[in-house]
Amino acid sequence: MTLGVKPEQALRLRLMAFDVDGVMTDGRLYYGPDGEMLKTFSTRDGHGLKKLAASGVTLAIITGRNSAMVARRARDLGIEHVIQGREDKGVALSALAQQLGLSAAEIGYMGDDEPDVPALEWAGLGFAPANAHAVARSAAGHVTEARGGEGAVREVCDSLLRLREGQ
């Protein structure tokens, strides 16, 4: 499955950015007894991200929250571009694109809720997990079968990789 992405779009892709809560995680937040916030990440998603990066696609995270866990996960995966505490995700994504010298057509974004809509609409490729809010699914253009935190990121990575490898 290729999520309806055209091979030329996948080959043009230079940057793939992801929201965290609801995309890389299931969107739930767990608070420990001392107030620490916990998130769970899929190791399969992580493997897909590493494979996509190895194919030459730069990865980024753009999230509305500030979290040491996100910084740690990004570090573990080798994701260099981590933008936290930004609700203006479209602005953040276009600024990153300008910094990297990329056009919207060379960029993909995956998000799951209203704050992601501007980035989903601006990027050349927009993806949303199956359980994303309706406004994000509508803006995305490409919706996974998997839910956020449960393989949606891997589904996007695998689809892009298949297309980039000509399969």
Side-chain angles (χ1 to χ4, degrees):
M1 178 176 55
T2 59
L3 297 171
V5 176
K6 296 176 183 161
E8 59 271 16
Q9 291 174 301
L11 289 170
R12 193 179 315 133
L13 192 68
R14 297 290 172 259
L15 172 69
M16 186 66 209
F18 298 86
D19 178 31
V20 175
D21 296 325
V23 173
M24 297 178 87
T25 75
D26 65 7
R28 294 184 286 178
L29 300 174
Y30 300 88
Y31 290 92
D34 296 322
E36 71 274 20
M37 185 174 41
L38 306 173
K39 299 174 188 270
T40 58
F41 296 93
S42 166
T43 58
R44 290 187 191 116
D45 283 353
H47 185 67
L49 289 165
K50 286 181 178 181
K51 288 174 56 177
L52 188 59
S55 81
V57 175
T58 299
L59 302 178
I61 290 173
I62 302 175
T63 180
R65 294 182 181 277
N66 286 299
S67 168
M69 287 164 288
V70 170
R72 169 71 189 269
R73 183 67 173 148
R75 203 169 38 253
D76 289 349
L77 295 172
I79 299 174
E80 177 182 347
H81 303 284
V82 182
I83 303 167
Q84 296 198 64
R86 295 289 296 269
E87 288 295 325
D88 58 344
K89 296 177 183 183
V91 172
L93 183 60
S94 64
L96 179 59
Q98 185 175 21
Q99 174 189 332
L100 298 175
L102 300 174
S103 69
E106 297 171 294
I107 296 171
Y109 182 80
M110 186 172 192
D112 74 308
D113 210 340
E114 290 179 43
D116 298 301
V117 168
L120 288 166
E121 292 176 339
W122 185 83
L125 284 171
F127 300 93
N131 61 328
H133 189 280
V135 297
R137 288 193 317 268
S138 178
H142 307 283
V143 179
T144 64
E145 291 182 12
R147 298 167 59 86
E150 300 175 9
V153 168
R154 180 64 178 267
E155 187 177 332
V156 168
C157 293
D158 286 353
S159 294
L160 292 170
L161 285 165
R162 273 193 297 279
L163 289 165
R164 290 172 68 80
E165 294 166 358
Q167 298 177 5

